[in-house]
Amino acid sequence: MHTMVFSSFMLFFCNNKGKISSLLYNLCLIMMMYIMIFVDNYFNVYIMNEWLFLNQYSFMFVILTLLILSLMFLSLGNNEFNWSLLMLMLIILLIFVLMCFTTSYFILYYLFFEASMFPIMLLIINWGKKSYLRVESSLYMFMYTFISSLGMFYLMLYLMDLGMLKFFMVNSLSNFDSVCFTIMVWGLLTKMPLYMFHFWLPKAHVWAPVYGSMVLAGIMLKLGGYGMMWFIFMGNNSVNYESTSFIVIFSLYGGLYTSMICMYQIDMKSVVAYSSVVHMSMVISSMMTFSMSGMLGAQIMMIGHGIISSGLFYLVNMNYERTSSRLIVMNKGFMNYMPSLSLWWFLMSMSNISMPFSLNFLGEVLMISSLLNWSIYFIFILMPMMYISSYYMIMLFNVQHGLNNKNMYFFTQCKIKEYIIIIMHWFTGNISFLFIDKIMDF
Protein backbone atom coordinates (compact mmCIF):
# COMPACT_ATOMS: atom_id res chain seq x y z
CA MET A 1 0.00 0.00 0.00
CA HIS A 2 2.85 2.41 0.82
CA THR A 3 4.43 1.61 -2.54
CA MET A 4 1.24 2.55 -4.38
CA VAL A 5 0.93 5.86 -2.51
CA PHE A 6 4.57 6.66 -3.27
CA SER A 7 4.02 5.84 -6.96
CA SER A 8 1.05 8.21 -7.14
CA PHE A 9 3.21 11.16 -6.07
CA MET A 10 6.02 10.16 -8.41
CA LEU A 11 3.63 10.52 -11.38
CA PHE A 12 4.02 14.27 -11.29
CA PHE A 13 7.80 14.07 -11.73
CA CYS A 14 8.00 11.44 -14.44
CA ASN A 15 7.49 12.10 -18.15
CA ASN A 16 7.64 8.55 -19.44
CA LYS A 17 3.96 7.60 -19.23
CA GLY A 18 4.39 4.14 -20.69
CA LYS A 19 6.83 3.14 -17.96
CA ILE A 20 4.52 4.39 -15.22
CA SER A 21 1.50 2.47 -16.52
CA SER A 22 3.66 -0.64 -16.91
CA LEU A 23 4.96 -0.16 -13.36
CA LEU A 24 1.45 -0.01 -11.94
CA TYR A 25 0.38 -2.98 -14.06
CA ASN A 26 3.27 -5.07 -12.74
CA LEU A 27 2.64 -3.82 -9.20
CA CYS A 28 -0.96 -5.07 -9.31
CA LEU A 29 0.17 -8.44 -10.63
CA ILE A 30 2.82 -8.76 -7.92
CA MET A 31 0.25 -7.94 -5.23
CA MET A 32 -2.13 -10.49 -6.71
CA MET A 33 0.49 -13.26 -6.77
CA TYR A 34 1.58 -12.41 -3.23
CA ILE A 35 -1.99 -12.68 -1.94
CA MET A 36 -2.55 -16.01 -3.72
CA ILE A 37 0.62 -17.47 -2.15
CA PHE A 38 -0.36 -15.89 1.14
CA VAL A 39 -3.78 -17.58 1.18
CA ASP A 40 -2.23 -21.01 0.61
CA ASN A 41 -0.60 -20.61 4.02
CA TYR A 42 -3.44 -18.79 5.81
CA PHE A 43 -6.93 -19.96 5.03
CA ASN A 44 -10.41 -19.33 6.46
CA VAL A 45 -10.04 -15.93 8.20
CA TYR A 46 -6.71 -14.19 8.54
CA ILE A 47 -6.67 -11.05 10.69
CA MET A 48 -3.97 -8.73 9.38
CA ASN A 49 -4.60 -6.20 12.16
CA GLU A 50 -7.50 -4.68 14.06
CA TRP A 51 -8.83 -2.95 10.96
CA LEU A 52 -8.09 -5.31 8.07
CA PHE A 53 -8.74 -8.99 7.40
CA LEU A 54 -9.03 -11.50 4.57
CA ASN A 55 -11.60 -14.30 4.50
CA GLN A 56 -13.18 -16.66 2.00
CA TYR A 57 -15.40 -13.91 0.56
CA SER A 58 -13.02 -10.98 0.35
CA PHE A 59 -10.13 -13.02 -1.06
CA MET A 60 -11.71 -13.62 -4.47
CA PHE A 61 -12.90 -10.01 -4.78
CA VAL A 62 -9.44 -8.66 -3.93
CA ILE A 63 -7.94 -10.86 -6.64
CA LEU A 64 -10.63 -9.66 -9.09
CA THR A 65 -9.89 -6.02 -8.21
CA LEU A 66 -6.16 -6.38 -8.79
CA LEU A 67 -6.74 -8.27 -12.05
CA ILE A 68 -9.20 -5.78 -13.56
CA LEU A 69 -7.20 -2.74 -12.50
CA SER A 70 -3.96 -4.23 -13.82
CA LEU A 71 -5.60 -4.75 -17.22
CA MET A 72 -7.06 -1.26 -17.02
CA PHE A 73 -3.60 0.24 -16.37
CA LEU A 74 -2.30 -1.74 -19.36
CA SER A 75 -5.08 -0.34 -21.59
CA LEU A 76 -4.25 3.31 -20.91
CA GLY A 77 -2.80 5.31 -23.78
CA ASN A 78 -0.15 8.01 -23.63
CA ASN A 79 -2.41 10.68 -25.13
CA GLU A 80 -4.98 10.81 -22.35
CA PHE A 81 -6.10 14.24 -21.21
CA ASN A 82 -4.44 15.34 -17.93
CA TRP A 83 -2.64 12.02 -17.62
CA SER A 84 -1.10 12.59 -14.18
CA LEU A 85 -4.45 13.42 -12.59
CA LEU A 86 -6.01 10.39 -14.29
CA MET A 87 -3.43 8.02 -12.81
CA LEU A 88 -3.82 9.61 -9.40
CA MET A 89 -7.62 9.08 -9.54
CA LEU A 90 -7.18 5.45 -10.53
CA ILE A 91 -4.74 4.76 -7.71
CA ILE A 92 -7.07 6.41 -5.19
CA LEU A 93 -9.89 4.26 -6.55
CA LEU A 94 -7.74 1.14 -6.15
CA ILE A 95 -6.97 2.00 -2.51
CA PHE A 96 -10.64 2.70 -1.71
CA VAL A 97 -11.84 -0.56 -3.26
CA LEU A 98 -9.18 -2.70 -1.58
CA MET A 99 -9.98 -1.10 1.77
CA CYS A 100 -13.68 -1.74 1.18
CA PHE A 101 -13.05 -5.46 0.56
CA THR A 102 -10.67 -5.94 3.50
CA THR A 103 -11.97 -3.74 6.33
CA SER A 104 -13.52 -5.47 9.34
CA TYR A 105 -15.63 -2.48 10.50
CA PHE A 106 -18.87 -2.14 8.61
CA ILE A 107 -18.98 1.65 9.09
CA LEU A 108 -15.61 1.84 7.27
CA TYR A 109 -17.03 -0.46 4.62
CA TYR A 110 -19.83 2.07 4.10
CA LEU A 111 -17.45 5.04 3.96
CA PHE A 112 -15.11 3.45 1.42
CA PHE A 113 -18.18 2.06 -0.39
CA GLU A 114 -19.47 5.61 -0.98
CA ALA A 115 -16.07 7.26 -1.42
CA SER A 116 -15.21 4.95 -4.32
CA MET A 117 -18.02 6.56 -6.34
CA PHE A 118 -16.32 9.96 -6.44
CA PRO A 119 -13.27 8.86 -8.52
CA ILE A 120 -15.69 7.18 -10.95
CA MET A 121 -17.72 10.40 -11.20
CA LEU A 122 -14.55 12.35 -11.97
CA LEU A 123 -13.55 9.79 -14.60
CA ILE A 124 -16.90 10.22 -16.35
CA ILE A 125 -16.93 14.03 -16.14
CA ASN A 126 -13.31 14.68 -17.15
CA TRP A 127 -12.45 11.76 -19.43
CA GLY A 128 -15.84 10.59 -20.69
CA LYS A 129 -17.31 11.11 -24.13
CA LYS A 130 -17.40 14.80 -24.96
CA SER A 131 -21.01 15.72 -24.29
CA TYR A 132 -22.95 17.56 -21.62
CA LEU A 133 -24.78 14.26 -20.94
CA ARG A 134 -21.72 12.87 -19.18
CA VAL A 135 -22.36 15.33 -16.33
CA GLU A 136 -26.00 14.24 -16.23
CA SER A 137 -25.02 10.56 -16.07
CA SER A 138 -22.60 11.17 -13.19
CA LEU A 139 -25.34 13.03 -11.29
CA TYR A 140 -27.71 10.12 -11.92
CA MET A 141 -25.16 7.76 -10.41
CA PHE A 142 -24.63 10.00 -7.38
CA MET A 143 -28.32 10.58 -6.66
CA TYR A 144 -29.30 6.93 -7.00
CA THR A 145 -26.42 5.41 -5.08
CA PHE A 146 -25.91 7.95 -2.31
CA ILE A 147 -29.51 8.71 -1.37
CA SER A 148 -30.57 5.05 -1.41
CA SER A 149 -27.85 4.16 1.12
CA LEU A 150 -28.73 6.79 3.75
CA GLY A 151 -31.00 4.31 5.57
CA MET A 152 -28.11 1.85 5.71
CA PHE A 153 -25.91 4.56 7.22
CA TYR A 154 -28.39 5.37 10.00
CA LEU A 155 -28.83 1.68 10.80
CA MET A 156 -25.06 1.27 11.05
CA LEU A 157 -24.98 4.15 13.55
CA TYR A 158 -27.70 2.35 15.52
CA LEU A 159 -25.64 -0.85 15.57
CA MET A 160 -22.59 1.09 16.70
CA ASP A 161 -24.58 2.46 19.64
CA LEU A 162 -25.28 -1.14 20.62
CA GLY A 163 -21.55 -1.88 20.57
CA MET A 164 -21.63 -3.87 17.33
CA LEU A 165 -18.67 -2.49 15.38
CA LYS A 166 -17.42 -5.41 13.27
CA PHE A 167 -19.03 -7.83 10.85
CA PHE A 168 -18.29 -10.75 13.18
CA MET A 169 -20.09 -9.15 16.12
CA VAL A 170 -23.45 -8.62 14.42
CA ASN A 171 -24.02 -12.37 14.17
CA SER A 172 -24.82 -12.31 17.90
CA LEU A 173 -27.36 -9.47 17.63
CA SER A 174 -30.76 -10.88 18.56
CA ASN A 175 -32.91 -7.96 17.37
CA PHE A 176 -31.52 -7.83 13.83
CA ASP A 177 -35.00 -8.44 12.41
CA SER A 178 -36.51 -8.27 8.91
CA VAL A 179 -36.96 -4.48 9.07
CA CYS A 180 -33.28 -3.91 9.85
CA PHE A 181 -32.29 -6.36 7.14
CA THR A 182 -34.49 -4.62 4.54
CA ILE A 183 -33.09 -1.18 5.40
CA MET A 184 -29.55 -2.50 5.27
CA VAL A 185 -29.99 -4.23 1.93
CA TRP A 186 -31.88 -1.34 0.32
CA GLY A 187 -28.75 0.70 -0.37
CA LEU A 188 -26.89 -2.32 -1.72
CA LEU A 189 -29.57 -3.24 -4.25
CA THR A 190 -29.05 0.09 -6.03
CA LYS A 191 -25.32 -0.53 -6.35
CA MET A 192 -25.69 -4.02 -7.83
CA PRO A 193 -28.21 -2.84 -9.32
CA LEU A 194 -31.76 -4.16 -8.89
CA TYR A 195 -34.26 -3.55 -11.69
CA MET A 196 -36.04 -0.17 -11.33
CA PHE A 197 -32.92 1.11 -9.54
CA HIS A 198 -30.67 0.48 -12.53
CA PHE A 199 -31.28 3.64 -14.58
CA TRP A 200 -27.95 5.16 -13.58
CA LEU A 201 -25.92 2.20 -14.85
CA PRO A 202 -26.55 2.37 -18.65
CA LYS A 203 -26.12 6.14 -18.59
CA ALA A 204 -22.83 5.87 -16.71
CA HIS A 205 -21.53 3.16 -19.05
CA VAL A 206 -22.48 4.95 -22.25
CA TRP A 207 -20.66 8.18 -21.36
CA ALA A 208 -17.77 6.71 -19.38
CA PRO A 209 -14.34 6.07 -20.96
CA VAL A 210 -13.38 2.48 -21.57
CA TYR A 211 -11.37 2.17 -18.35
CA GLY A 212 -14.32 3.66 -16.44
CA SER A 213 -16.63 1.00 -17.89
CA MET A 214 -14.11 -1.74 -17.05
CA VAL A 215 -14.01 -0.60 -13.42
CA LEU A 216 -17.79 -0.14 -13.17
CA ALA A 217 -18.65 -3.57 -14.56
CA GLY A 218 -15.71 -5.48 -13.14
CA ILE A 219 -15.43 -4.05 -9.63
CA MET A 220 -17.98 -1.43 -8.58
CA LEU A 221 -21.02 -3.67 -9.05
CA LYS A 222 -19.32 -6.27 -6.87
CA LEU A 223 -19.03 -3.96 -3.85
CA GLY A 224 -22.77 -4.27 -3.31
CA GLY A 225 -22.66 -8.04 -3.75
CA TYR A 226 -19.87 -8.38 -1.20
CA GLY A 227 -21.82 -6.36 1.36
CA MET A 228 -24.97 -8.33 0.56
CA MET A 229 -23.20 -11.56 1.46
CA TRP A 230 -22.18 -10.23 4.85
CA PHE A 231 -25.61 -8.84 5.69
CA ILE A 232 -27.34 -12.06 4.65
CA PHE A 233 -25.15 -13.98 7.10
CA MET A 234 -25.88 -11.33 9.72
CA GLY A 235 -29.63 -11.82 9.37
CA ASN A 236 -29.64 -15.51 8.54
CA ASN A 237 -31.01 -16.57 11.93
CA SER A 238 -33.50 -13.74 12.53
CA VAL A 239 -34.91 -12.71 9.13
CA ASN A 240 -38.26 -14.05 8.03
CA TYR A 241 -37.58 -15.76 4.71
CA GLU A 242 -41.06 -14.91 3.41
CA SER A 243 -40.20 -11.21 3.66
CA THR A 244 -37.45 -11.69 1.06
CA SER A 245 -39.66 -13.53 -1.44
CA PHE A 246 -40.78 -10.22 -2.93
CA ILE A 247 -37.17 -9.30 -3.78
CA VAL A 248 -36.58 -12.74 -5.32
CA ILE A 249 -39.66 -12.56 -7.56
CA PHE A 250 -39.26 -8.88 -8.44
CA SER A 251 -35.59 -9.35 -9.32
CA LEU A 252 -36.33 -12.29 -11.63
CA TYR A 253 -39.12 -10.48 -13.43
CA GLY A 254 -36.88 -7.43 -13.71
CA GLY A 255 -34.13 -9.56 -15.24
CA LEU A 256 -36.57 -10.99 -17.77
CA TYR A 257 -37.84 -7.55 -18.75
CA THR A 258 -34.30 -6.12 -18.97
CA SER A 259 -33.24 -8.97 -21.25
CA MET A 260 -36.08 -7.97 -23.60
CA ILE A 261 -34.87 -4.36 -23.47
CA CYS A 262 -31.47 -5.57 -24.72
CA MET A 263 -33.02 -6.86 -27.94
CA TYR A 264 -33.88 -3.42 -29.32
CA GLN A 265 -30.74 -1.53 -28.27
CA ILE A 266 -28.80 0.07 -31.12
CA ASP A 267 -25.67 0.94 -29.11
CA MET A 268 -23.25 -1.95 -28.49
CA LYS A 269 -22.19 -0.50 -25.15
CA SER A 270 -25.83 -0.30 -24.03
CA VAL A 271 -26.31 -3.98 -24.83
CA VAL A 272 -23.37 -4.97 -22.62
CA ALA A 273 -24.52 -2.57 -19.85
CA TYR A 274 -28.09 -3.94 -19.79
CA SER A 275 -26.75 -7.49 -19.84
CA SER A 276 -25.00 -6.69 -16.56
CA VAL A 277 -28.39 -5.86 -15.04
CA VAL A 278 -29.70 -9.25 -16.22
CA HIS A 279 -26.80 -11.10 -14.61
CA MET A 280 -27.05 -9.15 -11.37
CA SER A 281 -30.79 -9.86 -11.15
CA MET A 282 -30.04 -13.59 -10.96
CA VAL A 283 -27.29 -12.90 -8.41
CA ILE A 284 -29.67 -10.93 -6.18
CA SER A 285 -32.48 -13.49 -6.39
CA SER A 286 -30.19 -16.47 -5.72
CA MET A 287 -28.60 -14.82 -2.67
CA MET A 288 -32.04 -14.02 -1.28
CA THR A 289 -32.88 -17.72 -1.21
CA PHE A 290 -30.50 -18.01 1.81
CA SER A 291 -29.10 -21.29 0.48
CA MET A 292 -25.44 -22.27 0.37
CA SER A 293 -25.62 -23.15 -3.36
CA GLY A 294 -27.21 -19.78 -4.08
CA MET A 295 -24.51 -17.89 -2.18
CA LEU A 296 -21.67 -19.85 -3.79
CA GLY A 297 -23.21 -19.54 -7.26
CA ALA A 298 -23.67 -15.79 -6.78
CA GLN A 299 -20.04 -15.37 -5.75
CA ILE A 300 -18.75 -17.36 -8.73
CA MET A 301 -21.08 -15.47 -11.09
CA MET A 302 -19.89 -12.10 -9.79
CA ILE A 303 -16.26 -13.09 -10.35
CA GLY A 304 -16.93 -14.47 -13.83
CA HIS A 305 -19.18 -11.58 -14.85
CA GLY A 306 -16.62 -9.02 -13.66
CA ILE A 307 -13.95 -10.51 -15.90
CA ILE A 308 -16.05 -11.19 -19.02
CA SER A 309 -18.06 -7.94 -19.02
CA SER A 310 -14.86 -5.93 -18.63
CA GLY A 311 -13.48 -7.71 -21.70
CA LEU A 312 -16.67 -7.03 -23.67
CA PHE A 313 -16.47 -3.32 -22.92
CA TYR A 314 -12.88 -3.32 -24.12
CA LEU A 315 -13.90 -5.09 -27.33
CA VAL A 316 -16.62 -2.49 -27.94
CA ASN A 317 -14.01 0.24 -27.48
CA MET A 318 -11.71 -1.45 -29.99
CA ASN A 319 -14.49 -1.25 -32.58
CA TYR A 320 -15.26 2.35 -31.59
CA GLU A 321 -11.66 3.47 -32.07
CA ARG A 322 -11.75 2.20 -35.66
CA THR A 323 -15.23 3.27 -36.77
CA SER A 324 -15.83 6.28 -34.46
CA SER A 325 -19.26 4.84 -33.71
CA ARG A 326 -20.80 2.32 -31.32
CA LEU A 327 -23.97 1.86 -33.37
CA ILE A 328 -24.56 -1.72 -34.41
CA VAL A 329 -25.41 -0.76 -37.99
CA MET A 330 -22.16 1.23 -38.36
CA ASN A 331 -19.96 -1.66 -37.19
CA LYS A 332 -21.14 -4.32 -39.64
CA GLY A 333 -18.61 -6.32 -41.59
CA PHE A 334 -15.70 -6.31 -39.15
CA MET A 335 -14.87 -9.91 -40.02
CA ASN A 336 -13.76 -8.77 -43.49
CA TYR A 337 -10.99 -6.68 -41.93
CA MET A 338 -9.99 -8.50 -38.73
CA PRO A 339 -11.04 -12.18 -38.63
CA SER A 340 -8.89 -12.79 -35.54
CA LEU A 341 -10.74 -10.10 -33.61
CA SER A 342 -14.04 -11.69 -34.64
CA LEU A 343 -12.82 -14.93 -33.06
CA TRP A 344 -12.40 -13.17 -29.71
CA TRP A 345 -15.81 -11.55 -30.12
CA PHE A 346 -17.25 -15.05 -30.46
CA LEU A 347 -15.37 -16.46 -27.46
CA MET A 348 -16.24 -13.53 -25.18
CA SER A 349 -19.90 -13.55 -26.25
CA MET A 350 -20.20 -17.27 -25.58
CA SER A 351 -18.57 -16.85 -22.18
CA ASN A 352 -21.10 -14.13 -21.37
CA ILE A 353 -23.99 -16.52 -22.05
CA SER A 354 -22.34 -19.12 -19.80
CA MET A 355 -20.89 -21.66 -22.15
CA PRO A 356 -19.00 -24.58 -20.60
CA PHE A 357 -16.31 -24.32 -19.18
CA SER A 358 -16.53 -20.75 -17.96
CA LEU A 359 -17.05 -19.43 -14.45
CA ASN A 360 -20.42 -18.04 -15.57
CA PHE A 361 -21.53 -21.58 -16.44
CA LEU A 362 -20.85 -22.99 -12.99
CA GLY A 363 -22.32 -19.91 -11.32
CA GLU A 364 -25.55 -20.15 -13.32
CA VAL A 365 -25.93 -23.88 -12.61
CA LEU A 366 -25.66 -23.29 -8.86
CA MET A 367 -27.95 -20.25 -8.92
CA ILE A 368 -30.62 -21.98 -11.00
CA SER A 369 -30.58 -25.01 -8.69
CA SER A 370 -31.06 -22.77 -5.65
CA LEU A 371 -33.94 -20.89 -7.30
CA LEU A 372 -35.69 -24.08 -8.42
CA ASN A 373 -35.35 -25.47 -4.91
CA TRP A 374 -37.11 -22.33 -3.70
CA SER A 375 -39.93 -22.74 -6.24
CA ILE A 376 -40.18 -25.00 -9.28
CA TYR A 377 -42.39 -22.41 -10.99
CA PHE A 378 -39.38 -20.14 -11.44
CA ILE A 379 -38.51 -22.27 -14.45
CA PHE A 380 -41.11 -20.33 -16.46
CA ILE A 381 -39.10 -17.15 -15.83
CA LEU A 382 -35.63 -18.62 -16.10
CA MET A 383 -36.16 -20.40 -19.43
CA PRO A 384 -37.21 -17.32 -21.47
CA MET A 385 -34.59 -15.20 -19.68
CA MET A 386 -31.76 -17.53 -20.69
CA TYR A 387 -33.11 -17.85 -24.24
CA ILE A 388 -33.39 -14.09 -24.73
CA SER A 389 -29.95 -13.58 -23.17
CA SER A 390 -28.47 -15.95 -25.72
CA TYR A 391 -30.34 -14.14 -28.49
CA TYR A 392 -29.05 -10.63 -27.80
CA MET A 393 -25.46 -11.84 -27.34
CA ILE A 394 -25.64 -13.66 -30.68
CA MET A 395 -27.09 -10.45 -32.12
CA LEU A 396 -24.10 -8.54 -30.73
CA PHE A 397 -21.66 -11.03 -32.25
CA ASN A 398 -23.55 -10.83 -35.55
CA VAL A 399 -22.15 -7.31 -35.87
CA GLN A 400 -18.97 -8.96 -37.19
CA HIS A 401 -20.81 -10.26 -40.26
CA GLY A 402 -22.07 -8.38 -43.29
CA LEU A 403 -20.73 -6.47 -46.25
CA ASN A 404 -17.65 -4.28 -46.20
CA ASN A 405 -18.06 -1.37 -43.82
CA LYS A 406 -17.70 1.89 -45.75
CA ASN A 407 -17.40 3.76 -42.46
CA MET A 408 -13.79 2.56 -42.06
CA TYR A 409 -11.95 5.25 -43.98
CA PHE A 410 -8.75 4.95 -41.96
CA PHE A 411 -8.50 1.39 -40.75
CA THR A 412 -5.75 0.25 -38.38
CA GLN A 413 -4.98 -3.30 -37.36
CA CYS A 414 -5.10 -4.35 -33.71
CA LYS A 415 -2.03 -3.87 -31.58
CA ILE A 416 -0.33 -6.65 -29.65
CA LYS A 417 -1.24 -4.94 -26.38
CA GLU A 418 -4.94 -5.03 -27.29
CA TYR A 419 -4.81 -8.75 -28.03
CA ILE A 420 -2.98 -9.39 -24.75
CA ILE A 421 -5.71 -7.60 -22.78
CA ILE A 422 -8.50 -9.58 -24.48
CA ILE A 423 -6.67 -12.89 -24.11
CA MET A 424 -6.09 -12.28 -20.40
CA HIS A 425 -9.79 -11.48 -19.92
CA TRP A 426 -10.92 -14.66 -21.66
CA PHE A 427 -8.18 -16.83 -20.18
CA THR A 428 -8.90 -15.87 -16.56
CA GLY A 429 -12.66 -16.09 -17.08
CA ASN A 430 -12.46 -19.64 -18.46
CA ILE A 431 -9.29 -21.36 -17.31
CA SER A 432 -10.24 -20.55 -13.69
CA PHE A 433 -12.80 -23.33 -14.05
CA LEU A 434 -9.91 -25.80 -13.62
CA PHE A 435 -9.19 -24.37 -10.17
CA ILE A 436 -12.79 -24.15 -9.02
CA ASP A 437 -12.13 -26.63 -6.20
CA LYS A 438 -9.82 -24.03 -4.64
CA ILE A 439 -12.64 -21.46 -4.80
CA MET A 440 -15.13 -23.88 -3.27
CA ASP A 441 -12.71 -24.70 -0.46
CA PHE A 442 -12.91 -21.08 0.61
Side-chain angles (χ1 to χ4, degrees):
M1 192 68 68
H2 298 290
T3 307
M4 297 175 62
V5 175
F6 175 76
S7 300
S8 65
F9 287 104
M10 289 299 294
L11 294 174
F12 295 97
F13 305 101
C14 185
N15 295 322
N16 197 332
K17 302 174 182 178
K19 287 186 178 180
I20 292 294
S21 59
S22 299
L23 170 66
L24 295 173
Y25 166 73
N26 292 324
L27 180 62
C28 289
L29 291 182
I30 291 171
M31 291 176 62
M32 183 170 60
M33 289 186 291
Y34 172 75
I35 292 175
M36 294 180 71
I37 297 173
F38 166 83
V39 171
D40 283 338
N41 299 323
Y42 303 99
F43 52 91
N44 198 5
V45 177
Y46 180 74
I47 308 296
M48 289 180 274
N49 54 44
E50 185 183 359
W51 304 90
L52 303 175
F53 77 106
L54 273 176
N55 72 335
Q56 61 267 35
Y57 308 113
S58 59
F59 165 73
M60 295 306 299
F61 291 109
V62 168
I63 296 297
L64 175 67
T65 300
L66 294 174
L67 175 65
I68 296 299
L69 286 175
S70 64
L71 295 176
M72 183 197 63
F73 284 128
L74 190 62
S75 67
L76 291 176
N78 295 335
N79 56 350
E80 296 289 346
F81 168 73
N82 206 344
W83 196 84
S84 298
L85 180 61
L86 171 62
M87 297 299 292
L88 183 61
M89 288 295 102
L90 295 177
I91 292 174
I92 292 174
L93 176 64
L94 173 59
I95 295 173
F96 283 168
V97 173
L98 289 179
M99 291 298 295
C100 187
F101 283 135
T102 56
T103 183
S104 57
Y105 289 83
F106 48 77
I107 189 63
L108 291 180
Y109 165 78
Y110 173 81
L111 293 177
F112 288 116
F113 182 68
E114 296 297 334
S116 60
M117 284 294 169
F118 289 99
I120 294 293
M121 290 177 59
L122 292 176
L123 288 179
I124 297 174
I125 293 174
N126 292 331
W127 293 277
K129 194 175 179 181
K130 300 304 178 184
S131 172
Y132 71 95
L133 292 175
R134 70 183 189 272
V135 180
E136 178 185 344
S137 64
S138 62
L139 291 178
Y140 259 85
M141 181 176 65
F142 175 77
M143 296 299 291
Y144 269 87
T145 58
F146 179 74
I147 295 177
S148 64
S149 61
L150 289 179
M152 183 173 67
F153 175 68
Y154 289 124
L155 183 58
M156 287 183 174
L157 295 180
Y158 166 71
L159 295 176
M160 290 179 64
D161 290 337
L162 297 178
M164 302 297 174
L165 301 177
K166 297 186 178 182
F167 288 110
F168 306 107
M169 296 179 179
V170 187
N171 291 324
S172 61
L173 188 62
S174 60
N175 56 348
F176 190 79
D177 55 3
S178 298
V179 177
C180 295
F181 177 78
T182 304
I183 295 174
M184 190 73 77
V185 168
W186 185 263
L188 300 172
L189 293 178
T190 309
K191 291 285 197 307
M192 294 191 67
L194 181 67
Y195 176 73
M196 293 295 293
F197 302 96
H198 73 285
F199 299 108
W200 65 271
L201 183 64
K203 290 180 178 293
H205 273 304
V206 167
W207 301 108
V210 58
Y211 36 86
S213 295
M214 290 171 67
V215 173
L216 270 173
I219 302 172
M220 301 306 296
L221 299 185
K222 311 306 176 287
L223 292 177
Y226 173 72
M228 184 83 71
M229 288 182 176
W230 270 113
F231 297 137
I232 284 176
F233 282 110
M234 286 160 54
N236 192 25
N237 298 323
S238 56
V239 174
N240 183 7
Y241 295 163
E242 294 180 359
S243 63
T244 63
S245 59
F246 172 76
I247 299 178
V248 175
I249 297 172
F250 184 78
S251 180
L252 285 178
Y253 275 108
L256 177 60
Y257 183 71
T258 308
S259 63
M260 291 187 286
I261 293 176
C262 289
M263 291 194 298
Y264 59 83
Q265 295 297 314
I266 61 175
D267 190 327
M268 293 192 297
K269 209 170 187 180
S270 295
V271 176
V272 182
Y274 277 106
S275 69
S276 298
V277 181
V278 178
H279 283 97
M280 290 301 106
S281 66
M282 289 193 64
V283 169
I284 294 171
S285 57
S286 63
M287 283 197 295
M288 285 299 170
T289 59
F290 288 85
S291 63
M292 187 55 66
S293 61
M295 294 293 294
L296 181 60
Q299 183 182 8
I300 295 174
M301 173 57 78
M302 283 191 287
I303 300 298
H305 170 264
I307 298 171
I308 298 301
S309 63
S310 174
L312 284 172
F313 278 115
Y314 190 77
L315 278 173
V316 171
N317 184 71
M318 290 175 66
N319 280 38
Y320 174 71
E321 288 179 346
R322 287 156 178 82
T323 62
S324 300
S325 175
R326 294 195 303 261
L327 297 178
I328 293 177
V329 68
M330 300 300 291
N331 284 271
K332 289 285 188 178
F334 236 82
M335 187 176 289
N336 299 317
Y337 299 93
M338 289 187 294
S340 58
L341 183 62
S342 300
L343 170 65
W344 292 109
W345 263 105
F346 172 76
L347 293 176
M348 295 295 289
S349 300
M350 293 300 103
S351 297
N352 198 49
I353 62 176
S354 306
M355 75 169 184
F357 299 88
S358 62
L359 287 179
N360 290 8
F361 171 73
L362 181 60
E364 277 202 6
V365 169
L366 292 173
M367 289 191 299
I368 290 172
S369 64
S370 66
L371 289 171
L372 294 182
N373 286 332
W374 179 283
S375 175
I376 193 63
Y377 297 106
F378 283 160
I379 194 171
F380 298 108
I381 305 176
L382 294 171
M383 286 181 63
M385 184 192 299
M386 290 185 289
Y387 174 78
I388 297 174
S389 298
S390 302
Y391 174 82
Y392 65 70
M393 287 310 302
I394 293 174
M395 177 191 71
L396 187 62
F397 168 69
N398 199 37
V399 171
Q400 305 300 310
H401 299 271
L403 300 176
N404 291 341
N405 192 341
K406 296 181 175 57
N407 193 43
M408 298 184 188
Y409 298 109
F410 303 100
F411 181 79
T412 58
Q413 291 291 334
C414 291
K415 301 176 183 178
I416 301 260
K417 182 182 74 172
E418 294 175 325
Y419 278 119
I420 290 175
I421 294 173
I422 294 300
I423 290 172
M424 289 187 68
H425 274 105
W426 183 86
F427 184 81
T428 53
N430 290 267
I431 203 65
S432 302
F433 191 90
L434 299 176
F435 307 99
I436 201 62
D437 56 334
K438 289 279 187 181
I439 300 175
M440 289 185 172
D441 287 340
F442 291 112

